[in-house]
Amino acid sequence: MSSSPGAVALVTGAAGGIGRAAALRLARAGWAVAAVDVDAAGLDALTAEAAGVRPFVCDVADRLAVATVVGDIGHALGPPRRLVHCAGVAAMGRLLDQDPADTLRVMHVVYGGTLHVVRAVVPAMAARGGGQVVLFGSIAGWVPVPMGGAYGAAKAAVHFLAETVAAEHRGDGIRVVCVCPPAVETPMLDRMRADSPELVGNVRGLDPEAVLDSMDRALARGHLWAFPGRGTRAMWTARRLAPRLLGRTIGRLVVGK
């Protein structure tokens, strides 16, 4: 993950979880990191730990705020050469039992936030000759999981966005990677354990560093998709080749049906 002097990386969701790990890894590799999150206190803790990280408080679900903060980053640090978009939320539960407003909020933050950030960064990145765009999907966006319909639908939309941006900017020097991990050991997973123990249980999630290793390999190899963790790519393949069998298996494991 080395960089040329002065290269700028923009990391969203940087106050915790995968985003925090990504910001620290990039800063230690010599990048100037613009750390974006709605959690100001979490950003303060991050910047106290790593030199080369500048905090920018922003809610990615707010389109105008995203456009403003990307401009602020350009003025303060320079234009980003890499975007690592990790910000997101989850709401677990039976889809039709959830308040539709909660389901749509997940879509607005996860997919809408991704769209806002990509729209604010990629056109200017392409005009400068290219850059790297890392988006975070999920295996849950490929393999429908009972109790995870809102989150899975939003991540599936992110997958489609990643593939479309990669195709539309293939000639602009934009390299897109969409990372699709299973459960990752983050504060979000802790909240999911508390809210939906029947879904998550006590199984330990993947280490964020392993997720970032997968991201780095995909960037180096020019791959669009990264599937970190043992068995993740196999689940993706099974979904494509035997979707009904996989769906029945997951249903029995999760909800006993």
Side-chain angles (χ1 to χ4, degrees):
M1 194 179 282
S2 62
S3 68
S4 58
V8 177
L10 192 166
V11 180
T12 70
I18 299 172
R20 188 177 193 278
L24 289 172
R25 180 179 287 210
L26 285 159
R28 290 164 182 163
W31 292 75
V33 178
V36 176
D37 204 292
V38 72
D39 179 1
L43 289 178
D44 288 343
L46 171 66
T47 56
E49 184 171 343
V53 177
R54 287 278 298 273
F56 295 85
V57 178
C58 177
D59 180 357
V60 297
D62 185 332
R63 179 178 60 85
L64 295 179
V66 169
T68 297
V69 84
V70 170
D72 292 343
I73 290 166
H75 290 303
L77 299 176
R81 271 185 46 195
R82 180 181 292 184
L83 166 65
V84 182
H85 177 59
C86 305
V89 296
M92 311 307 291
R94 292 175 64 89
L95 185 62
L96 299 186
D97 291 342
Q98 290 180 309
D99 186 331
D102 293 335
T103 303
L104 291 173
R105 176 178 175 271
V106 174
M107 182 64 73
H108 185 50
V109 175
V110 173
Y111 173 70
T114 303
L115 180 62
H116 295 158
V117 174
V118 168
R119 190 173 184 272
V121 171
V122 169
M125 187 183 276
R128 295 190 303 272
Q132 300 170 338
V133 175
V134 179
L135 306 179
F136 273 83
S138 171
I139 194 62
W142 292 105
V143 180
V145 176
M147 312 291 285
Y151 184 73
K155 288 298 187 180
V158 170
H159 300 165
F160 201 90
L161 185 151
E163 199 162 11
T164 302
V165 171
E168 292 179 347
H169 291 276
R170 187 168 289 122
D172 296 331
I174 301 295
R175 182 179 298 176
V176 179
V177 172
C178 187
V179 187
C180 302
V184 181
E185 202 60 36
T186 63
M188 180 184 289
L189 184 61
D190 289 335
R191 290 192 293 272
M192 290 167 64
R193 284 193 183 104
D195 294 342
S196 303
E198 70 279 19
L199 174 61
V200 180
N202 293 317
V203 176
R204 182 165 180 81
L206 198 62
D207 190 301
E209 295 297 332
V211 177
L212 297 178
D213 289 343
S214 177
M215 174 193 77
D216 284 344
R217 288 192 296 270
L219 282 169
R221 297 169 183 172
H223 293 172
L224 172 59
W225 304 109
F227 295 97
R230 173 179 285 185
T232 310
R233 181 175 288 275
M235 289 182 67
W236 175 69
T237 303
R239 170 62 176 164
R240 295 168 62 205
L241 300 180
R244 292 181 65 186
L245 176 61
L246 182 64
R248 288 197 298 268
T249 301
I250 291 175
R252 286 195 298 269
L253 289 173
V254 177
V255 295
K257 295 182 179 180

